[in-house]
Amino acid sequence: MLVWIFESNLIWSSRFVNLVRGFGYEAVVTTTLPEGRANAAIVNLSDPNVGKIAEELRERGVYTIAHAGHKEKDLIELGKQIAVDRIATNGEITKKLESILAEASPKS
């Protein structure tokens, strides 16, 4: 599984890379949309370009997981408006990322 991580925060990007690779998946940190197609993407709802990124990911059929703090209600609402596949709080994505990524896996 290839996971694109759209994250400019070094702490979050390092955390996600370590977790994703620890699950045995390939992780690529980026701020722009790479060529090709990933199985999943993680986007930070506080990114000012998140709407455009989410739209491009949706057009490519990439399962998109967006995250924000549990108290950032406006960002959670933004995630609903831009229609990502999964919204997770920062705590949830840290503790349950493996099962969240499993949602992106093709069902056999």
Side-chain angles (χ1 to χ4, degrees), residues 26-87:
E26 183 180 353
V28 175
V29 176
T30 185
T31 55
T32 60
L33 198 64
E35 291 296 319
R37 185 176 179 277
N39 302 90
I42 300 170
V43 298
N44 189 325
L45 285 166
S46 67
D47 184 316
N49 298 314
V50 71
K52 182 173 176 22
I53 292 168
E55 180 181 341
E56 292 177 14
L57 291 169
R58 186 173 44 257
E59 288 173 3
R60 290 199 198 178
V62 177
Y63 187 89
T64 304
I65 304 156
H67 72 97
H70 71 278
K71 292 184 178 181
E72 296 177 299
K73 304 294 184 198
D74 55 331
L75 293 180
I76 299 293
E77 187 57 37
L78 173 62
K80 294 174 185 175
Q81 291 172 10
I82 63 174
V84 295
D85 296 293
R86 178 72 148 81
I87 300 170

Side-chain angles (χ1 to χ4, degrees), residues 1 63 65 85-86 92 96-107:
M1 176 182 282
Y63 187 89
I65 304 156
D85 296 293
R86 178 72 148 81
E92 181 182 24
K96 299 179 182 178
L97 184 57
E98 188 170 22
S99 63
I100 293 170
L101 286 173
E103 298 169 13
S105 299
K107 308 298 182 238

